[in-house]
Amino acid sequence: MKIKRIYAENYKTYRQLDLNMEVTNDRPIILIGGANGCGKTTLFDAIYHALYGLEIKTKREFEEIFNAGVKNEQGLEKKTIVLEVSFTGEVLDRVIPYRLKRSYMLVDGKVRESVELNMDGNRFAYGSASTASQRAENEKNINKIIAANLPRELSNYFLFDAMKTSELVKESQINKLIMDNINSVMGLYKYNRLRTISETLLAEKKAAKLENENQRRDYENLQKQRSEKEADLQRKNEEYRKALEFDNEHREMYNRAKEGRNDDDVTRDKIRQLEQSLSDFSKREAEYKQEADAIARELESKVLYPKLAEMVRSEVELILSEKSRIAEENGNDLTNAQIERVTNDVVDYLKTHHFGIGRIDVPAIIEYLIAHKGDGIKKDDKYPYLSDTDVKVLGDLVKAAYVNPFVVLDNKRTSLNLEIGELPQRRKQLSEFKQTLLGADYSIIEMYENNANKIKALKLEMDELTKEIESLGKKIATYDYDIPQIPDPQYDMLCKLPDFFKSLSVKLLAAKKANIERMMRDQLNINLVIYAGYIGKVELSAGNADDISFKIYHKNGNEIYLSQLNAGAKQTVMQVLLKVLYELGDYDPPVMIDTVMGVLDKESREVILEQYFPDLAHQTILLSTDTEITTERDYRKIEAYVARAYTLHRDKELQCTTVSEDYFGEPLTD
């Protein structure tokens, strides 16, 4: 398979993209340069989704994918996203041209899909307007044609981000990856499927041969149980594979989120402290206002009276002193109330004990006594106009303990004024801290850790299912003795087929295994800079294609542990594996690599440029920045192998990407 052309319209950053991707045998490389954010990954996605389709279900999803510049100028209604890829593939040594076009239009808020595949003049098409039967038939045919060139499940091995490859080099991951590659890329799955089919047919034939009805029923029941558990095991294997992929794809994001959450915990503490200080200030400010209002309401008692007492204190004390002197000189003079009470008591006594007493005018007696009380002494009283009640009020006025509330209130005012000057800075800091947390999503932490637990649980469940299937197989085998040994060529052939396909798979694996080991050793000795020339052997220990382990050994005999390799070396190991599987596999797709240099050091980059990319595949599409493949040195090293060079440019105002036929200004020379 070779990609001839990629066309995109209104797709993400591309208003219109039309790239010639044709290569020649001696120039197999398409080099596409661009700064970060210019649309390299979007181009990568365009090719992938042109082949396998977009999942757009809602208007919101359509808006997210549609080019922002066109949307602002013309709106979305009845506008179309188009992805079209032209490619060739070999069928029975004949090169067949294909053109696959996918269109997505927004009509009345709903997304309408249209797919058309032209295969050497034969047209297959379906869309939202197709009948269910038409869609099912044509969609099946189109998917078959695509799968024949590059099955979707294998696309990740040939269309990938090099930055992520180093994450795959983890013992549990790489073994699974190699196993999947050998089975899929090298075509061993087809023999396993044939073995499964032949086992199913054999089981049906055996059941038919069992003469005892109860035996037949028990046998069929065991077969059904085994089939169900095998299907369950297959489902869990697929879940396990997806869980491992999720682990690989999200490990870096998870680690960043964990680090970010630790930093954010400190930030949150600072936010809490700032919010608490602002809250405390607000409370103190409110209390100050309440106290000021209270003082205003009680101004007379809390301010005027104390001030008045201070002003008249000496005069009042003089009056009190004078009144006290007069009281001492008069002895125990009765008050008016006492005179009234005593007079009434005396009159009542006389009336009770002396019956001859006539009418007594009590009020007149009281008035007389009060009028003549203290005669001769009042002449010395300088303040005769002040009653005893007046004197008591004056005494209370000057003797009361007063605290000036303005002093305390003014101290609070001064303190608040000082803090008011700091408030703008505190609020600014609070805003900045909150801004650092804005949009932070740590759900990946929980998702990743749940996925890690799922991997462990699935492994245990798969092991348990395998044991149960083996146990059922042993029980099923006991029924062979009860089957009548009547000559039946068809039955005899079916008995041999499962072992034949299993044996064939094992033999093919053994042959492939030897080639993989040899080619990987040779390629690692060239490309793995830190051990170049010192790789003694690569070992794939495999009894079957379901259980493979991968190890590298130094010439001195010791194992080179994958876990101890740095990220750049891990990337090299994975790229070497890709190349080996590509050469030995049953498929011949283009290889498309984003962030081509990933985490490679300078020396490794030079080796990859000179020894790896030129003969990696029949068509190699490289997406790079000018810091990965530099114009000064790196570009010149591979220019002789480059069929076409393009540079992506981002127009910020129009919100789109344009393309020039050069590599960061450097034209491609013949």
Side-chain angles (χ1 to χ4, degrees):
M1 174 186 179
K2 289 182 182 178
I3 296 175
K4 296 294 185 180
R5 172 177 168 269
I6 178 67
Y7 176 83
E9 185 178 325
N10 298 328
Y11 179 67
K12 295 185 179 180
T13 188
Y14 294 104
R15 290 189 174 211
Q16 192 174 60
L17 171 75
D18 192 354
L19 289 187
N20 184 343
M21 306 289 281
E22 294 186 73
V23 297
T24 58
N25 292 336
D26 59 338
R27 287 181 173 247
I29 296 176
I30 301 288
L31 181 59
I32 302 173
N36 291 328
C38 280
K40 297 190 303 299
T41 302
T42 301
L43 174 58
F44 182 99
D45 292 341
I47 292 176
Y48 180 88
H49 291 300
L51 286 170
Y52 305 110
L54 285 165
E55 294 290 335
I56 312 177
K57 297 179 180 179
T58 65
K59 179 182 177 182
R60 173 71 177 176
E61 291 174 345
F62 188 89
E63 288 177 346
E64 290 177 356
I65 297 174
F66 198 89
N67 179 265
V70 175
K71 179 176 67 176
N72 291 340
E73 294 171 6
Q74 305 173 27
L76 290 173
E77 194 64 19
K78 295 188 178 179
K79 292 296 186 298
T80 306
I81 295 173
V82 178
L83 294 173
E84 182 179 317
V85 59
S86 299
F87 59 94
T88 59
E90 287 192 12
V91 178
L92 300 176
D93 296 327
R94 178 171 167 239
V95 177
I96 303 294
Y98 302 87
R99 183 176 61 82
L100 176 60
K101 179 180 180 181
R102 298 180 186 270
S103 303
Y104 304 86
M105 178 183 288
L106 191 66
V107 180
D108 298 330
K110 294 183 179 180
V111 180
R112 304 288 178 85
E113 179 191 28
S114 175
V115 181
E116 179 183 341
L117 174 66
N118 189 304
M119 183 185 75
D120 196 22
N122 297 309
R123 182 178 176 273
F124 304 90
Y126 67 87
S128 302
S130 304
T131 64
S133 58
Q134 286 176 331
R135 181 185 178 100
E137 180 66 23
N138 285 334
E139 186 173 9
K140 186 172 95 172
N141 289 330
I142 289 174
N143 289 340
K144 276 184 179 179
I145 293 168
I146 296 171
N149 287 278
L150 179 58
R152 185 170 190 162
E153 61 268 21
L154 301 186
S155 62
N156 290 334
Y157 304 133
F158 300 109
L159 312 176
F160 67 94
D161 184 343
M163 186 69 80
K164 296 178 181 178
T165 55
S166 62
E167 293 297 325
L168 296 172
V169 185
K170 186 178 178 182
E171 188 170 349
S172 61
Q173 317 288 10
I174 195 169
N175 293 342
K176 178 72 174 173
L177 180 68
I178 293 173
M179 180 183 74
D180 287 345
N181 268 278
I182 287 177
N183 279 289
S184 298
V185 180
M186 298 187 172
L188 297 188
Y189 271 146
K190 67 182 75 171
Y191 301 109
N192 291 330
R193 283 196 294 271
L194 287 170
R195 184 184 71 183
T196 301
I197 293 169
S198 61
E199 286 176 344
T200 302
L201 291 173
L202 178 60
E204 293 174 358
K205 195 73 173 176
K206 283 183 177 180
K209 280 179 167 289
L210 285 169
E211 296 176 345
N212 185 290
E213 184 64 30
N214 290 332
Q215 280 186 319
R216 184 184 300 118
R217 187 168 52 251
D218 292 342
Y219 179 82
E220 289 175 344
N221 186 47
L222 288 172
Q223 286 287 0
K224 181 180 178 182
Q225 289 182 46
R226 184 169 70 171
S227 296
E228 289 173 350
K229 291 190 180 294
E230 286 175 341
D232 194 16
L233 179 61
Q234 187 174 356
R235 284 193 297 270
K236 291 191 182 299
N237 259 308
E238 181 61 19
E239 285 185 58
Y240 185 70
R241 182 186 66 79
K242 289 180 178 178
L244 289 177
E245 286 181 357
F246 182 92
D247 184 275
N248 287 326
E249 292 173 2
H250 296 86
R251 185 180 299 113
E252 185 178 351
M253 189 186 303
Y254 167 77
N255 291 333
R256 285 201 306 266
K258 288 279 283 188
E259 293 171 2
R261 188 164 71 174
N262 292 337
D263 292 340
D264 288 347
D265 286 342
V266 175
T267 302
R268 288 191 181 92
D269 285 339
K270 292 178 180 177
I271 288 174
R272 282 193 291 270
Q273 292 169 8
L274 284 169
E275 287 178 336
Q276 186 62 48
S277 70
L278 291 171
S279 175
D280 290 344
F281 174 84
S282 297
K283 289 178 182 177
R284 291 198 304 276
E285 185 181 38
E287 289 171 359
Y288 172 81
K289 290 178 179 178
Q290 290 174 357
E291 290 179 22
D293 290 343
I295 290 173
R297 288 193 302 269
E298 301 172 6
L299 189 64
E300 186 179 81
S301 61
K302 292 194 173 184
V303 179
L304 297 183
Y305 285 173
K307 190 64 177 177
L308 177 61
E310 187 66 28
M311 292 172 62
V312 301
R313 183 177 299 279
S314 57
E315 288 82 355
V316 171
E317 287 178 350
L318 183 61
I319 292 170
L320 294 175
S321 176
E322 181 65 17
K323 290 290 187 179
S324 177
R325 182 185 64 78
I326 292 172
E328 288 177 3
E329 290 178 356
N330 289 338
N332 295 322
D333 282 347
L334 299 176
T335 64
N336 293 347
Q338 288 172 332
I339 290 172
E340 183 177 353
R341 188 175 65 252
V342 170
T343 301
N344 284 321
D345 290 343
V346 170
V347 171
D348 288 342
Y349 177 80
L350 289 174
K351 286 181 178 181
T352 303
H353 294 86
H354 302 280
F355 300 103
I357 297 175
R359 178 181 175 277
I360 300 174
D361 190 352
V362 177
I365 295 171
I366 292 172
E367 184 179 353
Y368 175 81
L369 290 173
I370 291 174
H372 292 83
K373 182 180 67 170
D375 281 349
I377 298 174
K378 282 188 177 181
K379 296 175 183 178
D380 298 327
D381 189 355
K382 298 179 181 178
Y383 311 102
Y385 50 84
L386 293 175
S387 67
D388 292 341
T389 301
D390 294 335
V391 172
K392 184 177 183 309
V393 170
L394 288 173
D396 291 341
L397 179 65
V398 297
K399 290 177 183 177
Y402 295 104
V403 176
N404 188 347
F406 273 115
V407 176
V408 176
L409 191 66
D410 191 56
N411 288 337
K412 290 183 178 181
R413 180 188 62 79
T414 303
S415 176
L416 289 171
N417 282 339
L418 289 174
E419 286 196 60
I420 285 174
E422 299 174 0
L423 287 182
Q425 181 61 24
R426 288 187 197 175
R427 291 194 179 105
K428 181 182 177 183
Q429 288 177 339
L430 181 62
S431 176
E432 289 173 350
F433 285 139
K434 285 184 175 180
Q435 192 66 31
T436 62
L437 297 178
L438 187 63
D441 181 8
Y442 296 113
S443 59
I444 184 62
I445 295 176
E446 182 179 358
M447 291 168 60
Y448 184 90
E449 291 174 351
N450 287 342
N451 185 73
N453 293 331
K454 182 180 179 180
I455 289 173
K456 294 177 183 177
L458 284 170
K459 190 69 172 68
L460 293 174
E461 292 172 7
M462 288 159 58
D463 291 342
E464 187 61 30
L465 278 171
T466 301
K467 291 177 183 177
E468 292 175 5
I469 291 169
E470 289 175 355
S471 176
L472 286 169
K474 290 176 182 178
K475 291 180 182 179
I476 290 169
T478 61
Y479 285 83
D480 290 344
Y481 299 105
D482 298 318
I483 297 173
Q485 302 300 311
I486 301 172
D488 185 342
Q490 186 183 43
Y491 175 75
D492 293 341
M493 177 62 70
L494 278 175
C495 288
K496 296 175 182 177
L497 280 179
D499 288 338
F500 168 76
F501 287 124
K502 182 177 181 180
S503 174
L504 180 60
S505 177
V506 170
K507 288 178 181 178
L508 287 172
L509 173 62
K512 300 272 188 180
K513 171 179 169 294
N515 285 333
I516 292 173
E517 290 174 338
R518 175 183 55 77
M519 291 182 67
M520 283 206 70
R521 181 200 64 203
D522 295 344
Q523 287 294 320
L524 287 173
N525 272 319
I526 296 171
N527 294 288
L528 188 58
V529 171
I530 57 174
Y531 287 108
Y534 285 89
I535 303 297
K537 67 175 180 177
V538 170
E539 183 179 277
L540 291 178
S541 58
N544 57 66
D546 296 322
D547 182 20
I548 296 174
S549 63
F550 172 79
K551 293 180 180 179
I552 303 173
Y553 290 91
H554 193 278
K555 282 186 174 180
N556 292 335
N558 57 289
E559 183 179 352
I560 299 172
Y561 295 100
L562 297 173
S563 60
Q564 295 178 1
L565 297 177
N566 60 34
K570 289 177 181 178
Q571 179 183 329
T572 300
V573 170
M574 287 308 302
Q575 289 182 321
V576 164
L577 174 62
L578 166 69
K579 184 172 184 177
V580 170
L581 293 175
Y582 182 93
E583 293 190 17
L584 296 177
D586 288 353
Y587 295 90
D588 186 24
V591 174
M592 188 171 185
I593 307 176
D594 195 4
T595 55
V596 291
M597 293 305 178
V599 288
L600 299 179
D601 57 30
K602 181 181 177 182
E603 190 175 359
S604 297
R605 290 180 181 214
E606 291 184 356
V607 171
I608 290 293
L609 277 171
E610 296 175 3
Q611 305 290 337
Y612 182 78
F613 288 143
D615 63 348
L616 171 59
H618 297 299
Q619 183 181 33
T620 302
I621 303 167
L622 304 179
L623 303 170
S624 173
T625 65
D626 58 354
T627 57
E628 293 180 275
I629 298 179
T630 64
T631 54
E632 296 82 6
R633 299 177 67 251
D634 301 334
Y635 176 53
R636 299 306 172 196
K637 291 179 180 179
I638 62 169
E639 186 179 14
Y641 304 99
V642 176
R644 302 183 188 279
Y646 299 106
T647 302
L648 309 178
H649 307 275
R650 176 71 173 168
D651 188 320
K652 295 179 182 178
E653 183 177 352
L654 296 177
Q655 301 184 73
C656 68
T657 294
T658 58
V659 184
S660 60
E661 294 190 30
D662 54 56
Y663 183 72
F664 291 103
E666 295 292 324
L668 180 65
T669 58
D670 294 332

